[in-house]
Amino acid sequence: MVREIVIGTRGSLLALWQAEHIKKRLQEELGIACRLEIVKTKGDKILDVPLAKIGGKGLFTKELEELLLRKEIDLAVHSLKDVPVEFVDGLNLACITKREDVRDCFLSVKYPNLQSLPLNAKVGTTSLRRSMQLKALRQDLDTQSLRGNVQTRLKRLFDGDFDAIILAKAGLNRLEISQDEIPFMQVFEIDEMIPAMGQGALGIEARITDPLFSQLFALNDDETFICTQAERSFIRALNGGCQVPIGVHAEIEGANIRLSAILGLPNGEKILKESLCGAKKDFEKLGISLAQSFIKKGAMEILAEAQEMAFA
């Protein structure tokens, strides 16, 4: 009897799209039969508290990892930006799939772009990273926590709870939410708002000892793997998690790779921003080198202060 692979996933429309996408690829490209197992994570259950206040690392992955270790599921499909840089023993990323659009997107019912928002406008975002960069662009903005899935966040925008919200363009593309459905949509360029580590990519986590682990590498995208591993090495060197105000983005330029990063306080009052270019083959070393440069400029002290502000 052929083994049916069980794919663990969160239950939002976006998470289900991602899991179905991987299921289809496994079936069509590798001939592996699959079914989905929906799991609620801590990050899905607690929606009335900002993410940074309920613990940063593993909010959207811990329950899935526990099921992997108990062999109740065979692999977990994650948005890579939610995956901590350190893994529990026995688990790791088997592959990283081709990236979608990495950029962040401004959405509004009334206002065409960030510059046109009124003074002290309310902008909804779950992310300290986005809050920091929004405040750097416009100090007057009132950034407020916006939790829930994409549809919940869009409903709150249309209900008038916010003047604008910020979402990842990758999620909008995957759910086929277009300019036609939202009055105003402005995509930030990367130098305006540096994305989160791994934004736009999917990470497939599995047991290292499972024969499936090596098979899954067939879904890996080499360029995405190199870029996101450079980003993750930067975060690892700073001991940063998903819920700290850090943005980092890598881009391949011929035989080289350029890594750009930003970190600071959520209120935008202290910010470090820098980029570094190096050989593509040295992608992990590049992340460490850039992190060391940030540390010399006081990054650890700024991140400690940012954490205090987030929990205040």
Side-chain angles (χ1 to χ4, degrees), residues 26-200:
L26 286 171
Q27 290 173 335
E28 293 181 356
E29 297 173 35
L30 301 180
I32 296 175
C34 310
R35 69 174 176 86
L36 303 187
E37 182 75 28
I38 297 173
V39 179
K40 267 204 166 187
T41 68
K42 183 178 180 182
D44 297 312
K45 293 171 187 172
I46 304 173
L47 295 175
D48 57 350
V49 181
L51 286 173
K53 290 193 175 184
I54 55 175
K57 296 180 182 180
L59 278 174
F60 297 109
T61 59
K62 187 172 184 286
E63 287 84 352
L64 288 159
E65 289 180 331
E66 288 170 353
L67 292 176
L68 278 170
L69 291 170
R70 295 202 300 266
K71 299 187 177 181
E72 293 180 32
I73 62 173
D74 298 297
L75 61 92
V77 178
H78 305 296
S79 291
L80 188 60
K81 68 179 181 179
D82 295 330
V83 180
V85 293
E86 304 293 350
F87 292 90
V88 297
D89 287 345
L91 302 179
N92 211 320
L93 289 175
C95 65
I96 297 170
T97 64
K98 187 173 177 61
R99 228 170 188 173
E100 243 288 0
D101 195 323
V102 302
R103 297 172 297 173
D104 289 302
C105 193
F106 168 99
L107 307 171
S108 180
V109 174
K110 297 179 182 177
Y111 305 101
N113 51 45
L114 191 73
Q115 292 71 32
S116 65
L117 287 173
L119 196 67
N120 303 318
K122 290 182 183 179
V123 181
T125 173
T126 57
S127 163
L128 296 179
R129 170 189 64 83
R130 289 174 180 149
S131 290
M132 166 187 68
Q133 294 183 86
L134 286 168
K135 290 279 193 178
L137 292 167
R138 275 193 53 179
Q139 188 62 44
D140 66 286
L141 295 177
D142 180 10
T143 55
Q144 298 190 356
S145 177
L146 172 60
R147 298 289 315 283
N149 60 40
V150 172
Q151 288 70 28
T152 299
R153 297 183 206 184
L154 287 173
K155 184 179 185 301
R156 292 195 65 190
L157 173 66
F158 278 90
D159 285 348
D161 293 348
F162 301 95
D163 295 300
I165 64 173
I166 312 297
L167 296 178
K169 190 68 168 67
L172 297 172
N173 288 354
R174 286 172 176 147
L175 293 174
E176 297 182 352
I177 297 168
S178 68
Q179 184 81 57
D180 298 337
E181 299 171 62
I182 297 158
F184 298 107
M185 183 186 292
Q186 175 201 18
V187 180
F188 291 102
E189 293 307 317
I190 288 165
D191 61 345
E192 288 182 288
M193 188 170 288
I194 295 177
M197 161 196 80
Q199 187 156 311

Side-chain angles (χ1 to χ4, degrees), residues 22 25 80 93-99 198 200-204 216-217 219-229 232:
I22 297 302
R25 288 194 65 188
L80 188 60
L93 289 175
C95 65
I96 297 170
T97 64
K98 187 173 177 61
R99 228 170 188 173
L202 303 181
I204 315 304
L216 290 168
F217 195 71
L219 305 188
N220 193 68
D221 181 77
D222 290 344
E223 185 167 313
T224 302
F225 181 87
I226 288 169
C227 289
T228 56
Q229 289 298 89
R232 288 171 67 79

Side-chain angles (χ1 to χ4, degrees), residues 261-281:
I262 188 169
L263 66 78
L265 299 182
N267 63 12
E269 290 183 2
K270 291 182 185 176
I271 283 180
L272 299 177
K273 188 174 183 180
E274 192 178 330
S275 64
L276 192 62
C277 193
K280 188 166 68 173
K281 63 181 177 62

